[in-house]
Amino acid sequence: MNKTAAKEWLTKAWHHLSTAQLLFQLEHYTDIIAIEVHYSVEITLKAFLAYDNSKIFKTHDLIDVYKHIKCYINFDDAELSILEQISEYHIGESYPSSNRNLPPLQEIKDVLEFAEELFDRVCAILNVDKTEIIKR
């Protein structure tokens, strides 16, 4: 097991998560917050692969990532639905679209809360002290 590698991934995930939190507090554009939430969740989940010294799959599909880490964490149907929603942000919000409305503020608040809880949950599962990550 490679706790050092997991901490590196969690540190990067924290950078995205804390950026999303700040942007949300500033009432910034919700499409940009959505992208930061997506990267935070993706990298948080991939910390399990780093911990296990497994191949880090080059995918942004969170359900696909989840298939590779089920031995570490389980999600119920509601959580899987949120993962699917966050996965859609990667394409839907990363590129310009003339017909796309910004994600609603309440939706962003909900997925941001999910991302925060997930980060804490993964730190606990991997026995990583969150305060060590936040200090970096």
Side-chain angles (χ1 to χ4, degrees):
M1 302 304 157
N2 193 339
K3 194 170 182 178
T4 301
K7 283 182 177 181
E8 290 172 4
W9 280 79
L10 289 169
T11 298
K12 189 67 170 180
W14 174 252
H15 292 177
H16 287 287
L17 180 57
S18 61
T19 297
Q21 292 168 331
L22 287 170
L23 293 175
F24 184 79
Q25 290 169 6
L26 294 170
E27 298 180 11
H28 195 67
Y29 302 107
T30 58
D31 58 337
I32 302 304
I33 300 169
I35 294 166
E36 291 298 330
V37 169
H38 174 271
Y39 280 120
S40 171
V41 170
E42 177 185 338
I43 295 168
T44 297
L45 294 177
K46 287 180 176 179
F48 287 119
L49 298 171
Y51 181 80
D52 199 33
N53 288 316
S54 295
K55 179 181 178 182
I56 307 294
F57 298 93
K58 294 184 179 188
T59 181
H60 301 293
D61 182 331
L62 301 179
I63 299 300
D64 190 37
V65 174
Y66 175 59
K67 291 175 186 175
H68 298 282
I69 60 167
K70 283 184 176 183
C71 62
Y72 286 103
I73 192 168
N74 291 304
F75 294 116
D76 62 26
D77 290 342
E79 292 169 321
L80 288 172
S81 180
I82 293 171
L83 286 180
E84 288 176 353
Q85 179 180 15
I86 295 171
S87 284
E88 291 175 14
Y89 291 152
H90 186 263
I91 297 298
E93 304 306 334
S94 294
Y95 302 103
S97 172
S98 60
N99 298 340
R100 178 79 165 116
N101 293 323
L102 296 179
L105 192 60
Q106 184 61 49
E107 177 181 312
I108 292 301
K109 182 177 187 270
D110 293 344
V111 296
L112 184 55
E113 287 173 1
F114 172 83
E116 292 166 350
E117 292 168 6
L118 177 64
F119 184 84
D120 290 345
R121 188 171 161 193
V122 172
C123 285
I125 292 168
L126 295 179
N127 197 28
V128 170
D129 184 354
K130 181 180 170 181
T131 60
E132 290 179 29
I133 301 298
I134 293 172
K135 290 180 184 178
R136 293 184 177 188

